[in-house]
Amino acid sequence: MSLTKLITSMIDGSTRSQAEQFIFKRSFGNMELIAHRGFRNQFPQNTMMAFSSALEAKADSLECDVQISSDGVPYVFHDATVDSLTNGSGPISSLTSSTINGLTLNLTAGTIFSDEKIPTFTDFLAFAKEQNVYVYPEIKQYRTQADITIMVNAVVAAKMEDLCLLQSFNFSDLEYVRNLNSKIAIGYLGSVNSGYETYVDQLRILGNGSLLWAYWQLVATPAIIAYCRLNGVDVGAYTVNTETDALNVINAGCTKIMSDITLGGR
């Protein structure tokens, strides 16, 4: 299926029957569906087109990745280098903003979407603010941890403090965020089924924190969800890419779900 047809079909839900969509909506109505990289399995990941398309496809929230260029500009990009997804090479942190702005995305090259670029974090936040949508930026590669200040300042400048959760697999990144700002929510990403209590306890102390955990561990160990609830820490599941897995997660007590797909075009 062409990129254009894929986007059109996923937005209007034509890849599923009306009966299937009805069953999905009935079963998943209370779920927060977070578009991981803008539903990366269906749209060109971490692009403004993906984020816009994800909202058209009924995502509740948007997830993205943030990295810092060599001259201190925050960009929305996931991979360690730009090699696989663009016509350039090297990590974002080694490239200037002018170089990054000139890169062509491989997936959209030669299509009507060929003008799509790697978005700045500022542009992403401005879009989210305009749409009044909650966002989950993940802190990725940076030059030094001090670069997190650039990310936090961008959120504050966009007046998105109440609509943003900064997440990381590195707990010290979250502590750094909290030292800078007491208002922005934070989320710790992980996947173990033991020792989670320590992270939940620390998130409770830091305040306004969430545990963002591998879905299979939440299903296998529902005590993780119970411990989060007991301590006033929110909990979310990543990366849930089938409706069966989504149901299992919901039945375990978690309704905040990150997915690479629209999960039925809800």
Side-chain angles (χ1 to χ4, degrees):
M1 182 181 290
S2 71
L3 183 60
T4 304
K5 288 182 179 179
L6 175 61
I7 290 172
T8 301
S9 66
M10 292 313 302
I11 289 176
D12 66 18
S14 60
T15 56
R16 288 188 174 273
S17 69
Q18 288 184 338
E20 287 174 320
Q21 291 183 53
F22 174 78
I23 292 171
F24 180 85
K25 291 176 183 177
R26 183 181 61 190
S27 302
F28 296 79
N30 296 323
M31 180 182 73
E32 179 188 355
L33 179 57
I34 307 166
H36 185 236
R37 304 188 214 169
F39 291 141
R40 72 181 186 113
N41 283 4
Q42 295 169 194
F43 311 120
Q45 63 172 287
N46 278 326
T47 61
M48 297 308 299
M49 178 178 67
F51 299 128
S52 177
S53 299
L55 293 183
E56 289 288 337
K58 308 304 181 184
D60 296 302
S61 314
L62 299 174
E63 192 271 355
C64 72
D65 304 280
V66 186
Q67 302 190 46
I68 307 295
S69 69
S70 65
D71 51 346
V73 177
Y75 282 89
V76 175
F77 198 79
H78 173 271
D79 290 7
T81 72
V82 301
D83 298 49
S84 295
L85 298 178
T86 78
N87 63 337
S89 63
I92 291 283
S93 61
S94 72
L95 304 176
T96 64
S97 55
S98 60
T99 297
I100 296 169
N101 293 341
L103 294 177
T104 298
L105 297 172
N106 294 336
L107 189 58
T108 59
T111 74
I112 61 173
F113 306 108
S114 59
D115 289 338
E116 200 74 25
K117 300 293 183 181
I118 298 174
T120 65
F121 187 42
T122 300
D123 285 343
F124 168 79
L125 290 171
F127 169 77
K129 180 67 174 179
E130 179 182 352
Q131 300 296 318
N132 193 36
V133 64
Y134 202 90
V135 297
Y136 294 79
E138 181 183 340
I139 300 168
K140 300 298 284 188
Q141 285 80 14
Y142 43 65
R143 297 168 301 177
T144 69
Q145 196 174 41
D147 276 344
I148 295 174
T149 303
I150 297 174
M151 303 177 195
V152 170
N153 287 346
V155 174
V156 173
K159 299 181 179 179
M160 285 286 290
E161 289 172 281
D162 292 326
L163 289 171
C164 178
L165 180 149
L166 285 172
Q167 53 175 334
S168 179
F169 282 96
N170 185 348
F171 202 90
S172 68
D173 287 349
L174 306 181
E175 294 173 319
Y176 195 97
V177 170
R178 186 54 75 239
N179 286 333
L180 292 172
N181 189 288
S182 61
K183 198 171 185 181
I184 299 172
I186 53 176
Y188 181 58
L189 292 156
S191 61
V192 299
N193 64 356
S194 61
Y196 59 84
E197 296 94 341
T198 298
Y199 298 117
V200 174
D201 294 344
Q202 290 175 311
L203 287 168
R204 175 177 50 80
I205 293 169
L206 290 175
N208 202 9
S210 294
L211 194 76
L212 304 173
W213 228 236
Y215 78 88
W216 60 88
Q217 293 291 14
L218 295 180
V219 172
T221 313
I224 298 173
I225 299 171
Y227 193 77
C228 286
R229 303 289 188 221
L230 181 65
N231 286 276
V233 172
D234 202 0
V235 58
Y238 74 87
T239 305
V240 185
N241 288 338
T242 72
E243 292 174 16
T244 298
D245 289 334
L247 266 180
N248 288 336
V249 170
I250 290 170
N251 289 336
C254 178
T255 57
K256 185 190 297 288
I257 291 176
M258 291 187 192
S259 180
D260 293 324
I261 62 173
T262 56
L263 287 174
R266 189 187 63 177

